[in-house]
Each structure stands twice: as C-alpha cells, then as structure tokens.
Amino acid sequence: MATPDVEAVLLESVEEPQPPELQDLVSVDGLITEPVLGIRMLMSSRDVGSIIGKGGMTIKAFREQSGARINISNSTSSERLVTVTGTKDSVCKAFEAIGKKIEQDTASAKPADSEATPSVSFRLVIQTSQCGSLIGKGGSKIKEIRESTDASIQVAGETLPNSTERAVTISGSPDALTLCINQICAIMLENPPRGPFIPYKPHALPNQAYQPRVNPNLPFQAPYTATFHTAAGPATTTQQMRIPNDLIGCVIGRKGSKIHEIRVSSGAQIKIAGNEGETQDRLVTITGTPEAVGMAQYLINSRLGEVRCSDEK
C-alpha cells in the first residue's frame, strides 16, 4: 500500500487517455450521438489509494475495461471527489469495478472466521434539482429503486456545505449497486440539472496533517495521519468538441450568461472559436483539471440535451 504522500503524487501523475467510447460521442460534424453524463462521489483518501493501485495500474485497468473517464480530485481533505464520466453503460461498468475492488479489499481485511458478506457504500454527490426526480412523488421512485435493486439508498435532506448538491448514499453488494447506479443514471439523463449549480468541494487543509472521521459502517475508514503538500498545482488537460452553429447560441446564452455559468460551475476555461467561413459548427476548447473538464463537458451536453428535448415537444 502506497503511503499517502505517494498517493498524492499518483493522483497528479496518472495519465488518462481518452476512452474510445467517449471519442465516439461526438461525430465529425459535432453532433452528439449518445448522451454523456458524469456522476461524482466522495471517497476516503484510503479508498482512493486502493482504486488507484500501485503505480496507477488499477485505475488504468478500470478506465480501459469500462470505457469511462475516472478522475480524482487533488484535495488535501480527508475525502476526495471521484468523477466518473461516460455513457450510461460505461459509467455502470466503472462503478461495478470500483465496488468489487472495495469489496475484495474489505473481505481480505476482516477476520478469517467471519462469514458475513461485506457491504459496499458509495456516497454520491447529486444536484438538488435532480434529487426530487430520484425520490419521486411521495417517495415512489426511491422505493421502486430499493425494491428492484436490493440496494439501500438514502438522500440527504440538506445540501452539502457551500453547494447546491446533496449526498446520496447507496449501500449493498457490488451487483446491487451496479443496478442502482444504472437506474440513477437513467433518471439523471431524463432530468438534466435545473437552476443555479454550485458544485461541492471538500474542505481543504493545505500543508496540514488531518485525522479522518471514522464511520464503523463503511470500509477502509481506519484513522491515520498524513501530510499532503500542495506546492505543485494539479495537472491540467485540454479537450475539444464541435457544436453545430444552430445550437451554439443555447450554450452561450443571452449576453454570455449560460457559458459564464458553466465556467463558474465547472472551474474550467472554455473558449468558443469564431464562425470561420462556411463551416457548419464551432470549435469549443475546454481546459482545466480533468475533473473540471469532465464537469464542463457534462454541463454543455446537458444544455444541448435540454434544447433538443424542447424542440421535439
């Protein structure tokens, strides 16, 4: 097991190639052929070290097997934000792989004479406007998810600090969690975020030691002390996508209001090229941390999805 300092280095150094499935999402003419979504979750630093693996080999395998992007925030708090971005199928495969890895590590750490099957928990971070759709009228939808997946699911009543997002905790076997994630993805795709969006960011303690809070019901929460150094800034990446001219206006918004909102919400730099000649689309360049870029892509795709849905009605 790598020391926390080494884990911090891995978070900055692990390269993430663009998965084939994500490359196919935007065709040559810039039209999105399959919807993309991003699901974020909070994980303890120790769990993060487990899914990264030695030299980043485990997370690299998860990315290749699932076709999803898996980005981990470079934070000095006791929790990290893990963002999984891709098609619904690739996101579910990524969560399945992560769940089985955590279950495996939990099982190997328990006493040899214990016969209890370890339960895996994911603490998802979901926009408040989408939580209503997840709960359903009178709690009907969340009850349906529980009964059809055998997973436990709890939606926090309050938003996370300084954000418009809530924690949604799901627990169960990796198979049950995969079924649950599949239904959550479907709900999020059908109900894009609405209203102001302020993403949750774990409270950072730069250049200080910290003591993680311990929850006996969650795996890999044993307390330990670690010091993270933040002298080196997080790695940045650049992604490009093409958007048809007749749709670019909805991404920019009136007087640039929508693109400003996406920039602020994601933390990424977004540049839209001018209309060159007789081209039918505009080049959009997104730069920032992998997490910020993934969030910006998700917000842009959600905006385009909203417009297409309204055009169809």
Side-chain angles (χ1 to χ4, degrees):
M1 182 70 178
T3 65
D5 281 339
V6 172
E7 289 175 11
V9 172
L10 286 176
L11 290 175
E12 296 181 2
S13 63
V14 173
E15 294 293 333
E16 181 184 1
Q18 180 81 347
E21 284 189 62
L22 283 180
Q23 290 176 347
D24 293 341
L25 291 176
V26 180
S27 62
V28 176
D29 60 3
L31 295 176
I32 299 173
T33 58
E34 191 172 354
V36 178
L37 79 160
I39 292 192
R40 305 197 301 158
M41 65 176 168
L42 287 165
M43 296 187 73
S44 69
S45 294
R46 189 164 182 175
D47 275 346
V48 166
S50 174
I51 67 170
I52 289 175
K54 187 175 181 180
M57 294 303 295
T58 302
I59 196 169
K60 180 181 179 182
F62 289 170
R63 288 166 176 157
E64 292 175 350
Q65 292 165 10
S66 67
R69 296 184 62 169
I70 306 174
N71 298 325
I72 302 172
S73 66
N74 184 23
S75 171
T76 58
S77 73
S78 60
E79 295 179 310
R80 305 286 180 86
L81 271 171
V82 179
T83 305
V84 182
T85 309
T87 63
K88 184 175 73 168
D89 183 58
S90 63
V91 168
C92 289
K93 287 179 181 178
F95 271 94
E96 180 180 20
I98 293 172
K100 288 183 176 180
K101 180 67 170 72
I102 293 177
E103 181 188 51
Q104 176 187 347
D105 291 345
T106 306
S108 63
K110 71 178 183 179
D113 57 351
S114 175
E115 297 181 359
T117 302
S119 177
V120 179
S121 293
F122 290 143
R123 192 177 178 215
L124 310 179
V125 179
I126 296 178
Q127 170 73 343
T128 296
S129 64
Q130 294 175 300
C131 287
S133 302
L134 184 61
I135 296 171
K137 187 176 182 179
S140 59
K141 193 63 182 180
I142 198 169
K143 180 181 178 182
E144 177 187 323
I145 295 173
R146 289 172 179 147
E147 293 176 347
S148 62
T149 66
D150 286 331
S152 168
I153 176 169
Q154 300 290 335
V155 179
E158 301 293 332
T159 57
L160 290 162
N162 304 315
S163 77
T164 57
E165 296 183 298
R166 293 193 205 179
V168 176
T169 304
I170 60 175
S171 303
S173 68
D175 289 340
L177 293 183
T178 302
L179 292 174
C180 188
I181 288 291
N182 182 68
Q183 294 205 32
I184 291 174
C185 286
I187 292 171
M188 293 178 69
L189 287 171
E190 293 171 1
N191 303 273
R194 302 184 307 275
F197 175 48
I198 304 174
Y200 172 67
K201 296 181 181 179
H203 180 64
L205 300 174
N207 298 323
Q208 295 181 16
Y210 70 89
Q211 190 74 17
R213 291 174 294 178
V214 178
N215 184 338
N217 298 318
L218 297 179
F220 282 109
Q221 295 280 321
Y224 64 93
T225 301
T227 302
F228 294 89
H229 302 285
T230 58
T236 61
T237 185
T238 297
Q239 296 291 335
Q240 293 183 323
M241 60 191 299
R242 290 187 175 275
I243 299 177
N245 288 332
D246 59 347
L247 292 177
I248 196 66
C250 73
V251 174
I252 296 174
R254 186 177 182 183
K255 296 183 178 180
S257 59
K258 182 56 64 174
I259 194 69
H260 175 72
E261 178 185 322
I262 295 174
R263 286 175 178 139
V264 172
S265 299
S266 66
Q269 296 180 17
I270 305 173
K271 296 182 179 180
I272 300 176
N275 191 3
E276 301 175 357
E278 298 179 355
T279 58
Q280 300 299 310
D281 50 43
R282 302 276 283 276
L283 181 66
V284 178
T285 303
I286 308 171
T287 304
T289 64
E291 180 188 20
V293 170
M295 180 58 69
Q297 289 177 315
Y298 167 62
L299 293 173
I300 291 173
N301 289 332
S302 295
R303 178 60 181 160
L304 293 172
E306 289 177 7
V307 174
R308 287 199 174 98
C309 287
S310 63
D311 288 344
E312 291 173 357
K313 291 181 179 180

